[in-house]
Amino acid sequence: MKTVSLSLLLIFSVLYSCHQAEKATPATLPLTLVDGYGPFNPGFSKLGNERQTNPDTQEPWRKMCLNVRGIPANWINVDKAMVWLNTNQLVYQNFTQGTFTKSQYNEFRKYWKLTADTSQLSREPIKCYVYTLRGFDEQAGKWAVMIDTNNNLDFSDETAFYPEVIQGKNPFSYKKLTLINYEIYRKGKVLKASLPMLVKTFGSDFFYNFPQYAQATLKRGGNTYNLAVSFGFTRPDFDIIGLADLSSLSKNERLSEDELIEINENVRLAGIIYKNKGVDFYNNVLRLEPAVEGKQEYSLQAGYPFKPFAEREFTSKRPITLADYKGKYVYVDFWGTWCKGCLDDIPNLKKLYAGLDKNRFEFIGIAQDSPERLTKFIKKQDVQWPQILSDKTNKLVESYPLTGYPTSVLLDKNGIVLARDLRGNELRDKLKELSAE
């Protein structure tokens, strides 16, 4: 009898141990930086300028601009630009140094969705930026660029270069990178860091990015999952990220935007659905949390239901709900008249909308804007599809996990997300495919 009981106890112990080993627990994964673009399609940001013809009328954030030395004497039409590497840190340290008021700081926090937790930010200024110069080199007879690689605000010790052109066939290739030095605040210490920077031209404009991403490893159920994390290649603070499971990709495969796992979206690893909780930049880790089983989840991620809305159409004031369009494919566009990328999409959207069968397809715009600007734009541009205004009362856009503008989703006939951020020819081809069904 004792032998049987002991055997049963051993079996129970083994089963319990296995159950415990397979139990889903949060994962905190250290990050390792890797140069290049990896499986991601990189974005570029346009180099701005700080020429101030009337400083008294400039926006408050322009007070963060610094003076530089060493501008080449043989350059004309020179623009200098501070490229922000960590917006949270840069805005906070300028607030603590009195560059702008608390009300301005709070306004910036709201506009740029900055963290309210300042415990992981340095009160003392750190070099969380890099300066660039661009101008016409009269001696060489062409436009040139300099980067303040050692971050000393002096270009006399830097070398000018003439950027490559962004090629249509392979826009992501490059011949030369520039290594820049800056500072990060991590675990209570100011640390020196470096980062590869690329500057290219397209037409008369200059664009930049940082060819670097991060990798992390998750070990579960006897398997190893290699994960890649991108910050979009335009600001290396990992505030906005895309996550990819490298084990599911073939060699040299690149992911489209709608295939990336954004913050608070789900990824299945080792039979467990994890929610991407983003990068803790202060501790240099990626955080994953098991999704709650059985919980109804709305998302902008493909395969998940889109959160329903019940509002009023902006122009007609008639009630409008997502349920009204059940049985139709619906393209939902989050936009605003202040967003250049959004406005660039309008002509193409008008053309596509005009050719759609309205019995099978509909466009809906959700605009974060002022009523006056939206009214004027819709009338001037003759935008025909329904619009919903997200304002201080309904706070509609705040109920969706947006990470930037423009953002869009294409929904199937039951309100399930088919794809995210289809633009231009990709959207045209997808609508054509669905029309042919």
Side-chain angles (χ1 to χ4, degrees):
M1 192 71 179
K2 285 183 178 181
T3 305
V4 174
S5 298
L6 182 59
S7 299
L8 289 174
L9 182 61
L10 288 172
I11 293 172
F12 176 80
S13 298
V14 171
L15 291 175
Y16 179 78
S17 298
C18 292
H19 175 72
Q20 287 295 96
E22 296 173 359
K23 184 179 179 181
T25 56
T28 302
L29 311 176
L31 291 172
T32 302
L33 295 176
V34 181
D35 288 348
Y37 296 130
F40 305 103
N41 287 301
F44 285 83
S45 282
K46 184 178 177 180
L47 274 179
N49 72 77
E50 294 176 3
R51 281 187 288 182
Q52 300 182 21
T53 55
N54 186 358
D56 294 336
T57 62
Q58 297 299 323
E59 297 89 345
W61 55 263
R62 286 194 179 275
K63 295 179 182 179
M64 294 189 288
C65 301
L66 303 174
N67 294 321
V68 301
R69 304 178 300 277
I71 298 176
N74 61 318
W75 282 21
I76 61 173
N77 297 325
V78 178
D79 284 329
K80 72 182 180 80
M82 174 193 279
V83 177
W84 300 3
L85 303 180
N86 188 321
T87 302
N88 272 300
Q89 176 61 46
L90 184 63
V91 173
Y92 178 66
Q93 70 187 35
N94 274 274
F95 165 61
T96 61
Q97 297 300 305
T99 306
F100 37 73
T101 66
K102 186 173 183 179
S103 63
Q104 289 173 333
Y105 174 58
N106 289 334
E107 183 181 342
F108 294 154
R109 278 180 45 204
K110 180 179 179 181
Y111 184 77
W112 285 312
K113 297 182 179 179
L114 305 182
T115 180
D117 179 12
T118 60
S119 64
Q120 296 183 356
L121 301 175
S122 172
R123 288 186 61 86
E124 297 301 317
I126 68 172
K127 296 176 180 178
C128 54
Y129 51 79
V130 65
Y131 260 93
T132 65
L133 288 181
R134 68 185 188 278
F136 189 78
D137 184 344
E138 290 188 299
Q139 185 175 346
K142 53 185 174 181
W143 289 92
V145 170
M146 278 186 177
I147 302 175
D148 185 21
T149 59
N150 57 10
N151 230 314
N152 66 350
L153 302 179
D154 187 350
F155 286 90
S156 62
D157 54 5
E158 302 294 348
T159 303
F161 64 93
Y162 309 99
E164 306 169 47
V165 176
I166 297 177
Q167 301 288 346
K169 292 183 179 179
N170 190 3
F172 312 130
S173 65
Y174 51 83
K175 296 178 181 178
K176 178 184 177 182
L177 295 175
T178 302
L179 193 67
I180 63 173
N181 296 294
Y182 69 113
E183 294 174 335
I184 59 176
Y185 187 65
R186 185 162 287 165
K187 297 182 179 179
K189 296 180 179 180
V190 178
L191 304 177
K192 296 185 181 299
S194 60
L195 182 70
M197 184 174 181
L198 176 67
V199 178
K200 286 192 171 188
T201 63
F202 187 79
S204 60
D205 294 320
F206 291 76
F207 297 86
Y208 69 90
N209 70 17
F210 305 101
Q212 191 175 79
Y213 64 101
Q215 287 189 353
T217 301
L218 174 70
K219 294 184 178 182
R220 286 289 187 274
N223 296 317
T224 298
Y225 297 87
N226 295 315
L227 307 175
V229 184
S230 162
F231 52 78
F233 302 98
T234 57
R235 201 180 67 207
D237 55 9
F238 288 95
D239 189 43
I240 298 174
I241 72 167
L243 176 66
D245 176 11
L246 296 181
S247 62
S248 64
L249 302 178
S250 59
K251 188 177 180 180
N252 298 325
E253 181 181 355
R254 288 194 186 276
L255 292 167
S256 61
E257 287 294 319
D258 63 320
E259 292 178 296
L260 298 181
I261 311 301
E262 294 188 356
I263 292 178
N264 289 321
E265 293 187 343
N266 296 333
V267 57
R268 182 179 290 275
L269 302 168
I272 299 170
I273 298 178
Y274 287 97
K275 192 172 290 293
N276 174 14
K277 300 306 293 182
V279 167
D280 178 347
F281 187 76
Y282 185 73
N283 293 294
N284 193 40
V285 293
L286 170 68
R287 298 193 183 279
L288 303 176
E289 288 185 3
V292 179
E293 294 185 18
K295 180 183 178 181
Q296 173 65 61
E297 262 195 88
Y298 298 113
S299 177
L300 304 183
Q301 187 176 1
Y304 286 82
F306 183 78
K307 186 176 181 179
F309 55 79
E311 300 294 336
R312 288 192 176 274
E313 201 279 326
F314 177 69
T315 303
S316 67
K317 308 304 179 186
R318 64 178 174 80
I320 180 174
T321 71
L322 184 61
D324 297 336
Y325 301 98
K326 186 174 176 60
K328 293 184 180 183
Y329 294 103
V330 180
Y331 177 78
V332 182
D333 183 32
F334 294 92
W335 72 293
T337 59
W338 46 267
C339 165
K340 185 180 183 303
C342 304
L343 300 189
D344 289 344
D345 284 343
I346 293 296
N348 183 58
L349 293 180
K350 287 174 63 176
K351 183 178 179 180
L352 291 175
Y353 189 71
L356 288 176
D357 178 357
K358 306 306 186 295
N359 292 317
R360 299 182 60 205
F361 296 88
E362 187 55 272
F363 284 8
I364 297 175
I366 298 180
Q368 187 175 34
D369 221 314
S370 73
E372 297 77 18
R373 283 197 303 263
L374 187 58
T375 298
K376 183 178 179 180
F377 184 87
I378 289 174
K379 185 176 181 179
K380 182 178 180 180
Q381 298 296 326
D382 191 28
V383 176
Q384 294 292 317
W385 54 94
Q387 299 291 329
I388 302 172
L389 177 66
S390 176
D391 54 27
K392 294 180 180 179
T393 302
N394 63 21
K395 298 181 180 180
L396 189 57
V397 297
E398 295 179 22
S399 64
Y400 296 94
L402 303 185
T403 56
Y405 285 84
T407 292
S408 63
V409 288
L410 180 63
L411 310 181
D412 72 8
K413 298 177 181 181
N414 295 306
I416 306 299
V417 178
L418 280 175
R420 181 182 62 205
D421 293 332
L422 294 179
R423 304 176 68 188
N425 292 339
E426 285 185 326
L427 177 60
R428 179 201 64 193
D429 293 344
K430 188 62 178 179
L431 294 175
K432 185 177 181 180
E433 173 191 325
L434 295 174
S435 297
E437 288 182 354

